[in-house]
Amino acid sequence: MRWDRTGAEHAVAAGVADGMDFIEIALLDPPSADAEHSRDLLEKAGLKAVCSLGLPETVWASHNPDGAVKFLKAAIEKTAAMGALALSGVTYGGIGERSGLPPTEQEIDNVARALGAAARHAQDAGILFGIEPVNRYETHLINTAAQGVAMIEKVGAENMFLHLDTYHMNIEEKGAGNGILDGRDHLRYIHLSESDRGTPGMGTCDWDEIFATLAAIGFDGGLAMESFVNMPPEIAHGLSVWRPVAEDHREVMDIGLPFLRNKARQYRLI
């Protein structure tokens, strides 16, 4: 979870050992990442990468759009310097950001202004820029694919894309398939995450519905397995993960990863 030199070396080696096509880098602290070192590791391993983040509370875009833009620009520059393809995640706010009320017009306008400036910077840097709707317990701002689409269309940046997550969709959408259909025109990336964030195939997500709908819309973007075992405290708090949700990382890699790959092959997505 800390993308310093040690973390990068560990993650890239593990990605190669488990036959990953790409990895997602949690770029939670952009200044701590050694971009040249990471780029060298990724190139030598033949791995592609996508970066993701949530904004620190001091620069939540809803009330500090200028601070959010500054933070996002630094993250975008680091993403591009590492040779990653995109920056995505909760780029519009924080994990655990809840006001106790529906989003106000001012909050949405602030978010749109920050995302527009960040997207332009990403365009100049040659990378894509995504937003990930997350569930109501993690934010009050953008929870569904339809809300994500509305924000993307409000901003109007050509390099912005929708990033869905099956864990959040299992809570928020009226069926994961409907969420995928709502987002189809902008969907470029999806987290394949089980209903408890644990090992794919061992929860209640309807994987046939998910993969069949992706196939039906001709999805050709990134299919990213997202599973957790143990979380560092600063992330566990925002995600409300208080216990291990998988036996260990080998359960995820030896059971969950083949499960998702087999489903993707079954529906001719890979």
Side-chain angles (χ1 to χ4, degrees), residues 3-4 15 20 37 45 64 97 126 183 191 198 216 221 231:
W3 198 263
D4 51 17
M20 294 289 189
H37 176 255
N64 185 4
E97 178 181 359
H191 278 167
M231 301 290 292

Side-chain angles (χ1 to χ4, degrees), residues 199-202 225 249-260:
T199 304
M202 299 179 71
M225 180 177 73
H249 81 281
R250 289 282 20 123
E251 178 185 89
V252 172
M253 293 299 180
D254 296 342
I255 297 175
L257 181 58
F259 173 84
L260 292 176

Side-chain angles (χ1 to χ4, degrees), residues 95-241:
I95 300 169
E97 178 181 359
R98 298 182 302 274
S99 69
L101 296 169
T104 65
E105 184 176 349
Q106 183 64 61
E107 286 177 321
I108 294 299
D109 286 346
N110 284 347
V111 168
R113 179 158 66 88
L115 292 178
R120 288 191 294 274
H121 198 70
Q123 181 77 51
D124 292 341
I127 65 169
L128 299 173
F129 185 64
I131 60 171
E132 178 189 10
V134 298
N135 72 76
R136 66 192 73 183
Y137 309 110
E138 295 181 29
T139 186
H140 68 294
L141 294 170
I142 301 176
N143 305 129
T144 67
Q147 287 178 302
V149 166
M151 179 57 71
I152 289 169
E153 294 183 350
K154 181 179 178 69
V155 174
E158 291 185 1
N159 64 322
M160 277 189 72
F161 65 91
L162 182 66
H163 162 182
L164 292 180
D165 182 310
T166 55
Y167 166 79
H168 301 296
M169 296 171 75
N170 195 53
I171 297 170
E172 296 294 341
E173 303 289 354
K174 298 184 185 299
N178 285 327
I180 291 167
L181 292 174
D182 286 345
R184 64 189 300 171
D185 292 339
H186 299 282
L187 180 60
R188 298 287 300 275
Y189 194 67
I190 186 165
H191 278 167
L192 303 172
S193 186
E194 192 48 90
S195 57
D196 65 347
R197 295 190 183 272
T199 304
M202 299 179 71
T204 62
C205 283
D206 189 334
W207 293 107
D208 286 300
E209 176 185 0
I210 291 163
F211 280 98
T213 312
L214 290 171
I217 67 168
F219 180 78
D220 62 357
L223 297 163
M225 180 177 73
E226 185 184 55
S227 298
F228 300 130
V229 181
N230 291 300
M231 301 290 292
E234 63 271 27
I235 301 299
H237 176 76
L239 300 180
S240 297
V241 176

Side-chain angles (χ1 to χ4, degrees), residues 3 11-12 20-28 38 42 47-53 75-76 78-80 82-91 127-132 161-164 188-191 219 221-226:
W3 198 263
V12 170
M20 294 289 189
D21 299 305
F22 71 97
I23 59 172
E24 182 173 315
I25 296 169
L27 198 60
L28 303 173
S38 295
L42 292 165
L47 275 181
K48 295 180 181 180
V50 170
C51 293
S52 65
L53 54 77
I76 286 163
K78 194 72 72 165
T79 298
M82 289 193 289
L85 302 174
L87 176 68
S88 191
V90 190
T91 51
I127 65 169
L128 299 173
F129 185 64
I131 60 171
E132 178 189 10
F161 65 91
L162 182 66
H163 162 182
L164 292 180
R188 298 287 300 275
Y189 194 67
I190 186 165
H191 278 167
F219 180 78
L223 297 163
M225 180 177 73
E226 185 184 55

